[in-house]
């Protein structure tokens, strides 16, 4: 006569614990006189006990405050019978009851990784990402930056890129080592390299959107949107490699962090724009290509827009009306 | 660059003044006679901060009516007019007597103000004319640097030609603190009012006529009218009239002189009030050649501390990338040039004007495509008045960059638009341009 109890705490990412019992009843609660002691504020000091006579298994509530559920269903009374494999929820703890003869899969099902991560973190692909990332930032630097000392500038760009990759990966590896006992250095290298590659492409997309739309609302949304998505993906991947967070929590964490950063930048920008600036702030992105593809105004159309500018909310029009001085009446002498 | 010669509790230039005091000329006796005869009509005008009880601004002034009206410069009394709750005004005469002053009316365009004393002095000056012949001797009286009342001799040298407002060019050693003092002829009649100095015995006087006009307007004010309460509206009207006059001077010139610059023909010398100059940079190590041309007016209307207006300016920058620069790099440098504005607007302080708001679009002018930004800001005390900037960068002309700046301070909506429209329409395709 033996039962196996498998325990899992909600919100805990560690593997389940297993206990085997041969003597019944088994009492469960927060108090130290129980057979299973749950450090859970939602559990009463003496919560319930499990009876087993070799045939039927019954969960029996001692009269706890929060009760229990079986497979998500509240029992009709204080008692509920259990079959092998049923999940008992007490407070924030899940306890599954197994009979020894309960069948298990012939081969252990390993947790499935993300196929893209798995592919990218193959050594060859990591190296490829690394080489492409360094090459693409070198290309960007060669295209965009004019310097008297060209070789030095390129070497600086390459070293800078490699430095960012190594430092980023090293920090996350340490974090992974601490929480997970796995560094995943190559995985982090692959991630940051992909981020740099995507970032360079995004840089051009944003620059041309800014240039062609004259930095209107669409270009602002595109700029912040693209950066938000890229950073969120990077963080999601880093969390996946370095922590044992569940997927849902990874998404939420990466999303919140990235969103918070973008929101902070937006607020900072708005504050600096709204505070007094002596010089005008105007769209100034210039790119060499594609300007001929977008529609342009004639001088008359442009002047119509300039006329409308005076009616904008920025400029208080109500005060602009009555010049009191012209109403001066001549003195009667 | 002219500099206003009133101003602010500085007594540090005593040493610099000694030569002026020791100015011994053959006319010394005449100066002595004039000072003895008319000196009693000249006062020091002080604006005193109510909290610290210290002078925030000093200048000179002279009584010109029997009933105690004193003429001075607007910039001497600006502090008292703009912040009446924090300042009071006092006069001080040669005998050390003091008394309160009250602002009656101001003209910011000509920098003239009329203030009144409660108990009129016994001496006042008559208003003469500024229609004098070149070389006429004038005597300027005032209290330079708060040292003591001084009379200096100088020469009437006609009117300054380089501005929208005619000022008398006076060859004499005007100094800070003498602002608002009279410049009188041998007959003691006022020809002008000390207003500014350009150093080295180059001084400027406001002709007496704007004072006469202002006095006439003053007489038309209703009895008991408190000008200070309505000052903003009056000043706005004066600014509107002034900018109307100035911008009309530019726009009424039907044929703007233009010249070829880079790939286009652009306006050049369009009015005598706008002085033009230019230059180029041909450094071997630079990745591009750069050329500039700029035309700007010398006019600045003082409104308040760190708040002036009235400047008009246009500027062209033309850059040509050298062979060692690829197109993308050229545009990166070009953008760097375009994105940093050339501090044209330093004329207001926080609280005087709103932030700029811009209308930005691509505009086709003279066969080229231009990224154009038309930006305006509004004066808070004078909401019908704006600062305007049109800033355009030519795009898509290969390794050639051309930026155009047009800037006008203190203009109405209509004039800002009319000037920008005219300016853009005056940019024409260059000879033999693509």
């Amino acid at each position: 006569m033996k039962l196996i109890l498998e325990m899992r705490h909600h919100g805990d990412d560690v593997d389940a614990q297993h206990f085997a019992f041969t003597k019944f009843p088994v009492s469960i609660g927060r108090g130290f006189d129980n057979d299973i002691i749950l450090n859970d504020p939602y559990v009463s000091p003496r919560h319930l006990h499990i009876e087993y006579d070799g045939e039927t298994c019954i969960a029996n509530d001692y009269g706890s405050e929060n009760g229990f559920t079986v497979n998500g269903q509240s029992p009709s009374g204080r008692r509920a019978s259990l079959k092998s494999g049923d999940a008992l929820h007490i407070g924030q703890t899940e306890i599954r009851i197994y009979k020894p003869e309960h069948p298990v899969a012939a081969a252990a099902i390993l947790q499935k990784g993300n196929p893209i991560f798995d592919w990218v973190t193959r050594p060859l692909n990591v190296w490829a990402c690394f080489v492409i990332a360094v090459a693409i930032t070198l290309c960007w630097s060669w295209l965009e930056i004019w310097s008297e000392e060209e070789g030095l500038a390129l070497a600086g760009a390459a070293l800078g890129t490699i430095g960012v990759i190594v430092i980023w990966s090293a920090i996350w590896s340490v974090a992974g080592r601490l929480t997970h006992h796995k560094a995943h250095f190559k995985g982090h290298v692959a991630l940051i390299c992909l981020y740099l590659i995507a970032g360079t492409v995004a840089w051009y997309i944003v620059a041309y959107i800014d240039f062609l739309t004259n930095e209107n609302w669409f270009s602002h949304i595109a700029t912040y949107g693209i950066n938000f998505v890229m950073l969120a993906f990077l963080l999601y991947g880093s969390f996946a490699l370095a922590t044992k967070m569940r997927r849902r929590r990874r998404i939420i964490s990466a999303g919140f962090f990235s969103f918070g950063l973008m929101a902070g930048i937006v607020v900072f920008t708005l504050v600096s724009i709204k505070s007094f600036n002596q010089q005008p702030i105007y769209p100034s992105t210039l790119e060499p290509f594609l300007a001929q593809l977008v529609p342009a105004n004639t001088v008359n159309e442009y002047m119509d827009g300039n006329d409308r500018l005076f009616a904008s909310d920025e400029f208080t029009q109500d005060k602009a009306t009555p010049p009191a001085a012209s109403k001066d009446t001549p003195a009667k002498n | 660059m002219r500099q206003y010669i009133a101003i602010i509790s500085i007594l540090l230039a005593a040493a610099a003044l000694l030569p002026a005091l020791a100015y011994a000329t053959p006319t010394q006796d005449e100066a002595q006679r004039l000072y003895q005869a008319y000196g009693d009509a000249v006062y020091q005008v002080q604006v005193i901060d109510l909290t610290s009880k210290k002078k925030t601004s000093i200048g000179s002034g002279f009584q010109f009516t029997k009933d105690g009206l004193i003429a001075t410069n607007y910039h001497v009394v600006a502090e008292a007019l703009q912040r009446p709750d924090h300042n009071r005004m006092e006069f001080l005469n040669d005998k050390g007597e003091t008394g309160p002053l009250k602002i009656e009316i101001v003209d910011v365009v000509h920098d003239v103000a009329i203030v009144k004393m409660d108990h009129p002095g016994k001496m006042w000056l008559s208003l003469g004319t500024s229609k004098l012949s070149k070389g006429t001797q004038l005597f300027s009286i005032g209290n330079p640097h708060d040292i003591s009342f001084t009379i200096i001799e100088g020469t009437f040298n006609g009117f300054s030609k380089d501005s929208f407002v005619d000022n008398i060019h006076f060859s004499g050693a005007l100094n800070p603190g003498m602002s608002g003092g009279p410049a009188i002829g041998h007959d003691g009649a006022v020809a002008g009012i000390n207003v500014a100095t350009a150093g080295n015995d180059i001084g400027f006087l406001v002709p007496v006529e704007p004072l006469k006009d202002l006095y006439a307007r003053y007489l038309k004010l209703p009895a008991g009218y408190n000008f200070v309460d309505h000052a903003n509206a009056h000043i706005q009207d004066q600014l509107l009239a002034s900018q109307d006059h100035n911008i009309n001077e530019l726009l009424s010139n039907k044929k703007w002189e233009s010249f070829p610059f880079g790939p286009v023909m652009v306006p050049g010398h369009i009015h005598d009030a706008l002085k033009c100059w230019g230059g180029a940079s041909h450094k071997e190590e630079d990745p591009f050649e750069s050329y500039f041309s700029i035309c700007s007016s010398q006019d600045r209307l003082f409104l308040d501390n760190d708040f002036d207006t009235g400047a008009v300016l246009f500027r062209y920058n033309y850059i040509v990338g050298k062979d060692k620069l690829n197109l993308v790099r050229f545009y990166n440098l070009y953008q760097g040039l375009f994105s940093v504005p050339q501090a044209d607007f330093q004329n207001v302080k926080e609280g005087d004007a709103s932030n700029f708001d811009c209308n930005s679009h691509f505009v086709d002018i003279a066969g080229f495509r231009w990224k154009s930004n038309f930006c305006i800001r509004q004066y808070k005390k004078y909401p019908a008045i704006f600062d305007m900037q049109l800033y355009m960068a030519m795009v898509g002309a290969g390794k050639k960059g051309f930026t155009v700046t047009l800037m006008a301070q203190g203009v109405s909506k209509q004039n800002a638009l009319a000037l920008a429209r005219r300016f853009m329409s005056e940019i024409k395709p260059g000879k033999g341009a693509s």
Side-chain angles (χ1 to χ4, degrees):
Chain A
M1 199 168 72
K2 188 176 173 187
L3 270 187
I4 314 296
L5 271 62
E6 183 185 83
M7 296 202 351
R8 207 179 254 119
H9 289 280
H10 174 79
D12 228 3
D13 288 318
V14 293
D15 296 333
Q17 286 173 290
H18 293 91
F19 301 94
F21 286 94
T22 50
K23 284 186 174 169
F24 296 93
V26 174
S27 68
I28 301 172
R30 197 150 49 84
F32 292 127
D33 53 346
N34 291 292
D35 299 315
I36 294 177
I37 301 157
L38 297 176
N39 183 15
D40 179 340
Y42 297 96
V43 172
S44 297
R46 282 183 72 75
H47 203 106
L48 59 73
H49 63 270
I50 292 168
E51 292 163 8
Y52 182 54
D53 58 4
E55 286 290 319
T56 51
C57 177
I58 289 162
N60 212 335
D61 199 319
Y62 281 126
S64 70
E65 217 167 302
N66 293 323
F68 67 95
T69 64
V70 178
N71 297 332
Q73 308 285 319
S74 294
S76 46
R78 291 194 168 279
R79 293 160 59 89
S81 62
L82 306 168
K83 331 184 278 298
S84 179
D86 277 353
L88 198 62
H89 277 97
I90 308 165
Q92 293 184 310
T93 309
E94 179 190 289
I95 299 175
R96 280 181 188 271
I97 318 290
Y98 293 110
K99 291 179 179 171
E101 61 269 26
H102 195 93
V104 295
I109 301 162
L110 292 176
Q111 196 186 0
K112 262 172 98 179
N114 188 310
I116 300 173
F117 276 153
D118 292 346
W119 185 79
V120 164
T121 47
R122 285 184 201 168
L124 189 66
N125 295 335
V126 172
W127 276 108
C129 283
F130 179 77
V131 169
I132 294 171
V134 173
I136 206 167
T137 40
L138 271 181
C139 270
W140 177 86
S141 148
W142 180 81
L143 263 179
E144 295 285 335
I145 312 294
W146 182 84
S147 166
E148 281 287 338
E149 302 283 347
E150 193 148 335
L152 218 57
L154 289 180
L159 281 176
T161 311
I162 293 169
V164 167
I165 294 170
V166 169
I167 291 169
W168 175 272
S169 310
I171 290 172
W172 280 101
S173 298
V174 170
R177 207 90 184 86
L178 290 176
T179 61
H180 203 207
H181 303 291
K182 273 179 186 164
H184 281 306
F185 185 79
K186 283 192 307 243
H188 290 296
V189 169
L191 267 177
I192 185 70
C193 287
L194 285 175
Y195 179 80
L196 290 176
I197 294 165
T200 311
V201 176
W203 188 89
Y204 276 102
I205 293 173
V206 164
Y208 271 91
I209 290 177
D210 272 357
F211 172 56
L212 298 174
T213 63
N214 288 307
E215 290 174 34
N216 60 19
W217 57 269
F218 175 74
S219 101
H220 291 297
I221 291 174
T223 305
Y224 291 114
I226 288 174
N227 281 301
F228 165 74
V229 170
M230 286 199 329
L231 184 62
F233 264 107
L234 176 67
L235 289 176
Y236 174 83
S238 302
F239 287 146
L241 290 174
T243 70
K244 290 180 123 185
M245 282 185 195
R246 288 178 189 171
R247 190 156 163 240
R248 217 171 86 105
R249 190 176 291 193
R250 287 204 300 265
I251 292 172
I252 291 170
S253 303
F256 262 104
F257 189 89
S258 185
F259 182 81
L261 194 70
M262 290 306 137
I265 293 172
V266 170
V267 168
F268 182 80
T269 314
L270 281 180
V271 166
S272 67
I273 286 176
K274 288 289 170 195
S275 61
F276 181 69
N277 294 294
Q278 187 73 271
Q279 308 297 332
I281 296 171
Y282 50 88
S284 60
T285 313
L286 296 180
E287 292 296 335
F289 307 112
L290 305 182
Q292 302 299 330
L293 298 182
V294 291
N297 278 344
T298 62
V299 169
N300 282 335
E301 288 164 348
Y302 185 54
M303 289 310 298
D304 289 344
N306 295 343
D307 197 328
R308 283 194 295 277
L309 182 64
F310 283 90
S312 87
D313 297 339
E314 296 282 318
F315 308 117
T316 47
Q317 299 296 313
D318 47 335
K319 284 189 287 177
T321 32
S326 56
K327 291 190 301 205
D328 286 342
T329 46
K332 61 301 167 210
N333 203 12
Chain B
M1 194 67 186
R2 287 180 206 177
Q3 120 197 66
Y4 286 94
I5 56 171
I7 302 311
I8 327 273
S9 55
I10 350 133
L11 305 171
L12 47 83
L17 193 78
L18 289 174
L21 292 174
Y23 218 70
T25 69
T27 54
Q28 201 176 13
D29 289 347
E30 173 66 358
Q32 194 177 31
R33 179 187 74 77
L34 284 169
Y35 190 77
Q36 275 167 5
Y38 302 109
D40 282 351
V42 180
Y43 295 86
Q44 187 185 49
V45 177
Q46 306 178 335
V47 179
I48 298 161
D49 180 67
L50 289 178
T51 316
S52 65
K53 308 272 189 285
K54 294 285 189 303
K55 288 174 266 194
T56 59
S57 163
I58 55 165
S60 302
F62 60 93
Q63 188 178 340
F64 68 98
T65 62
K66 189 184 175 185
D67 60 348
L69 290 182
I70 289 180
T72 182
N73 286 137
Y74 163 72
H75 76 259
V76 172
V77 303
E79 189 71 28
L81 181 70
Q82 299 290 348
R83 279 165 289 280
D85 296 341
H86 297 98
N87 296 284
R88 65 186 167 85
M89 284 176 64
E90 267 186 10
F91 68 81
L92 168 76
N93 66 12
D94 203 7
K95 300 185 191 73
E97 295 161 344
T98 63
L101 290 173
K102 184 170 159 286
I103 294 174
E104 295 295 328
I105 194 167
V106 303
D107 174 357
V108 297
V109 175
H110 297 96
D111 201 356
V112 184
I114 297 176
V115 297
K116 192 171 188 181
M117 53 208 298
D118 291 346
H119 305 291
K122 291 190 177 54
M123 165 64 71
W124 63 92
L125 300 177
S126 61
L127 302 183
T129 175
S130 66
K131 308 277 181 294
L132 302 169
S133 52
K134 206 165 191 165
T136 306
Q137 232 174 13
L138 291 175
F139 296 85
S140 168
I141 311 177
N143 192 336
H145 293 289
D146 202 15
I147 296 169
S148 68
F149 285 93
T150 304
I151 181 163
I152 57 159
E153 183 252 338
T155 319
F156 173 89
N157 266 310
F159 292 92
S160 53
K161 291 269 189 298
D162 61 345
S163 91
F164 289 113
V165 177
D166 288 342
N167 276 343
I168 297 172
H169 174 201
F170 173 75
S171 303
L174 292 183
N175 271 292
M178 296 183 74
S179 278
I184 57 178
H186 290 284
D187 57 355
V190 176
I193 304 163
N194 309 332
V195 67
T197 177
N200 289 334
D201 277 7
I202 299 173
F204 295 94
L205 310 174
V206 181
V208 72
E209 284 75 16
L211 173 59
K212 289 179 176 172
D213 295 345
L214 188 64
Y215 181 50
R217 270 187 273 159
Y218 166 72
L219 292 177
K220 283 184 190 161
L221 292 180
Y225 186 81
N226 188 343
F227 180 84
V228 177
D229 290 348
H230 305 95
N232 288 349
H234 282 277
I235 292 174
Q236 173 164 295
D237 280 358
Q238 292 168 8
L239 292 173
L240 282 172
S242 159
Q243 58 89 34
D244 246 346
H245 167 264
N246 298 351
I247 304 297
N248 266 330
E249 289 251 316
L250 301 180
L251 296 179
S252 60
N253 178 1
K254 290 283 171 252
K255 210 168 152 46
W256 279 8
E257 204 176 277
S258 66
F259 69 105
F261 198 56
V264 281
M265 296 284 290
V266 287
H269 180 83
I270 62 172
H271 192 273
D272 281 343
L274 271 67
K275 294 263 174 285
C276 300
W277 66 98
S281 161
H282 293 288
K283 283 198 210 110
E284 188 58 44
E285 65 270 24
D286 279 353
F288 53 76
E289 294 165 17
S290 71
Y291 310 85
F292 77 94
S293 167
I294 178 170
C295 298
S296 92
S297 74
Q298 310 301 303
D299 291 72
R300 301 288 183 276
L301 293 185
F302 175 89
L303 292 175
D304 196 355
N305 292 334
D306 302 318
F307 184 15
D308 55 64
T309 186
V312 178
L313 169 154
F314 52 90
R315 179 196 295 114
Y316 314 108
N317 287 89
Y318 176 43
I319 61 169
V320 183
K322 293 180 184 167
D323 286 344
K324 56 182 167 182
L325 213 54
N326 67 39
L327 186 59
V328 178
R329 287 184 192 182
F330 173 81
Y331 260 78
N332 202 9
L333 292 171
Y334 184 26
Q335 174 181 318
L337 199 78
F338 183 59
S339 62
V340 180
Q342 306 217 20
D344 288 328
F345 294 100
Q346 301 290 344
N347 57 318
V348 310
K349 60 182 181 300
E350 186 165 6
D352 291 330
S354 70
N355 268 338
F356 276 100
D357 198 9
C358 300
N359 176 39
S360 306
H361 213 280
F362 288 106
V363 183
D364 283 338
I365 300 170
F368 290 98
R369 187 149 287 190
W370 305 74
K371 189 173 188 113
S372 306
N373 298 295
F374 179 87
C375 305
I376 50 170
R377 72 175 168 198
Q378 184 182 36
Y379 291 179
K380 290 193 170 159
K381 282 183 178 171
Y382 320 112
I385 312 272
F386 297 85
D387 282 348
M388 177 273 275
Q389 185 189 46
L390 174 70
Y391 196 16
M392 311 196 296
M394 183 188 280
V395 289
K399 283 197 284 183
K400 283 183 184 145
F402 196 98
T403 64
V404 174
T405 313
L406 169 69
M407 175 275 242
Q409 294 171 354
V411 291
S412 66
K413 172 189 171 181
Q414 286 74 18
N415 282 330
L417 291 170
L419 188 63
R421 181 186 291 271
R422 172 77 184 273
F423 198 87
M424 282 190 275
S425 66
E426 292 279 349
I427 299 172
K428 303 270 167 57
K431 303 238 158 61
S434 55

